[in-house]
Structures are given as C-alpha cells and as structure tokens.
Amino acid sequence: GQQLNQSPQSMFIQEGEDVSMNCTSSSIFNTWLWYKQDPGEGPVLLIALYKAGELTSNGRLTAQFGITRKDSFLNISASIPSDVGIYFCAGQKGGSQGNLIFGKGTKLSVKP
Amino acid sequence: DAGVIQSPRHEVTEMGQEVTLRCKPISGHNSLFWYRQTMMRGLELLIYFNNNVPIDDSGMPEDRFSAKMPNASFSTLKIQPSEPRDSAVYFCASSSGLAGLIQYFGAGTRLSVL
C-alpha cells in the first residue's frame, strides 16, 4: 500500500532544544496533517497544510508543505517536557474522500 | 462538545471469542473511520463510512472482521473469532465534510487476545 516515510523514528531532546522531523513520499499529496499522540490517547491534530509551500505555525510548532508536494516538515522550537510523545504525519491524495495515509511516527523522549 | 467516544477502553479476551468495539462519532460529523495501531505496522485504516455507507473496506484484514454503522451516531467493529494477532489498539475517528479532511480521534480500545 501507500507509504509515508517519516524520520527520525525516535529522538531524545533536552528541554530548550529545537526539534525537526519530516515526512516524505514518492507520491504527490494535496494535504498534509501533523498529529501528536500521548500515551494511552488517540492522535490529536496539531497543524493542517493545504497548499504547496505553505508555512503554518501553532505556538512553538511550525510545519511546512513541501514545494514538490511530496514532503512536509515539522519543527518544534524551545522544547518543553510536555512535548514528549509520538508525532505522526498524514497525507491525502486528491480524489479520495478523506482517506488519510499515516507515517509510522517520530517518538520524542526526554534525555535522561 | 464531546469528542469521539469509544468503548470499552480495554478488552481482554480469549482466542476464539467474539469481540465488539463501539464508537460514537462527534455529532454532525458524516464520515467515520476505523484504524488499527500496532508497533510493527503503525496506524492502518481498516474501513471508513460516509453518511453511514461503507466507502472503502480494503483495509479490513479478513472475513473475521466486520463493521457496521446503523445510524449517524453509532458504529461497531466486530472480530469473530478473535485471534492473538488481532491484539492492538483500535481507534475510531470522525470528520465533517464541512471541515475538510481533519479527523478527530477517540481514545482507542486496547484489545488483548490471549
């Protein structure tokens, strides 16, 4: 089936660090979404992107819709402990009725 | 406003038993999605409904899985008979055509088949 390659798979952060993650595909997508999942909960939407080149912020989070429409990036600035969790990208190709394809997630943990 | 409500939150059953997972979408949403999440395969779409009609069930793993949406406020995912490899977290999500593609997820049902 369709695949989104999300990287890194996991990363450790120290409070105050900036964090970057990305999602790539061999296919073109019309929409990119970024979700965060906390332990024992369902994914929660962080940012939605609808146009190639679009740059959107939500507090300390910034996401971009790649110009080629085959990738997207999420940055977290000045991370705090509550940023830990799993971040998922999701893409939708034109024509499907809301069918999203999810990446496998980037797990953010705090450095011991 | 209540979000997507799933029940039960946890289910432990023995191999061969029937399992029914339940979902109440957000009021007014007209699309409903069932996902399965495992460490190995991540989030997989099993089936989705639009206006109570199944649109795409190509993700349903096999005939042991079935899903219904008898009305706009309720859906079930049934596994009969259950097998240990069905152990996973099952999520329900809903979306509104007016809000585009944004799907809102429930808290999930963690299923363990022994």
Side-chain angles (χ1 to χ4, degrees):
Chain A
Q2 297 288 330
Q3 289 287 335
L4 289 184
N5 300 309
Q6 193 170 344
S7 66
Q9 286 187 332
S10 63
M11 57 193 310
F12 287 88
I13 59 170
Q14 270 188 338
E15 187 171 352
E17 285 182 341
D18 294 344
V19 173
S20 293
M21 60 191 78
N22 67 77
C23 215
T24 61
S25 173
S26 56
S27 304
I28 288 174
F29 285 88
N30 287 344
T31 301
W32 286 95
L33 304 176
W34 284 92
Y35 285 83
K36 183 193 177 199
Q37 185 177 20
D38 290 325
E41 300 295 330
V44 174
L45 181 73
L46 298 173
I47 293 177
L49 302 160
Y50 299 105
K51 269 172 46 175
E54 181 180 352
L55 188 71
T56 297
S57 292
N58 177 5
R60 293 177 297 105
L61 278 60
T62 302
Q64 184 162 24
F65 192 141
I67 290 290
T68 65
R69 294 166 64 194
K70 294 182 179 181
D71 54 12
S72 180
F73 308 87
L74 176 70
N75 294 312
I76 305 173
S77 62
S79 57
I80 59 178
S82 61
D83 289 335
V84 301
I86 303 178
Y87 292 78
F88 292 98
C89 60
Q92 196 248 11
K93 304 175 98 176
S96 53
Q97 300 177 44
N99 188 1
L100 292 175
I101 298 165
F102 282 82
K104 290 203 171 178
T106 294
K107 184 176 181 180
L108 217 57
S109 305
V110 177
K111 276 183 189 169
Chain B
D1 186 22
V4 175
I5 299 172
Q6 290 187 247
S7 64
R9 288 296 311 273
H10 303 274
E11 177 81 35
V12 180
T13 191
E14 290 188 344
M15 184 173 66
Q17 296 298 308
E18 177 180 296
V19 174
T20 299
L21 311 181
R22 297 173 175 78
C23 176
K24 177 178 167 51
I26 292 173
S27 177
H29 282 192
N30 61 350
S31 293
L32 183 141
F33 307 79
W34 282 102
Y35 290 88
R36 178 172 65 179
Q37 186 178 41
T38 60
M39 288 292 291
M40 289 297 294
R41 300 172 69 91
L43 263 171
E44 301 174 278
L45 178 67
L46 300 177
I47 185 172
Y48 78 93
F49 296 82
N50 186 252
N51 293 323
N52 311 340
V53 176
I55 302 299
D56 183 356
D57 65 354
S58 59
M60 296 286 262
E62 43 196 280
D63 291 345
R64 298 184 297 105
F65 285 69
S66 63
K68 292 182 180 178
M69 192 163 186
N71 57 62
S73 59
F74 184 65
S75 177
T76 59
L77 178 68
K78 186 177 292 187
I79 308 173
Q80 165 65 18
S82 58
E83 297 181 3
R85 61 192 168 120
D86 301 331
S87 299
V89 182
Y90 290 82
F91 287 104
C92 175
S94 70
S95 72
S96 163
L98 294 175
L101 304 161
I102 297 174
Q103 295 180 21
Y104 296 85
F105 284 76
T109 295
R110 180 174 293 277
L111 174 65
S112 297
V113 183
L114 306 177

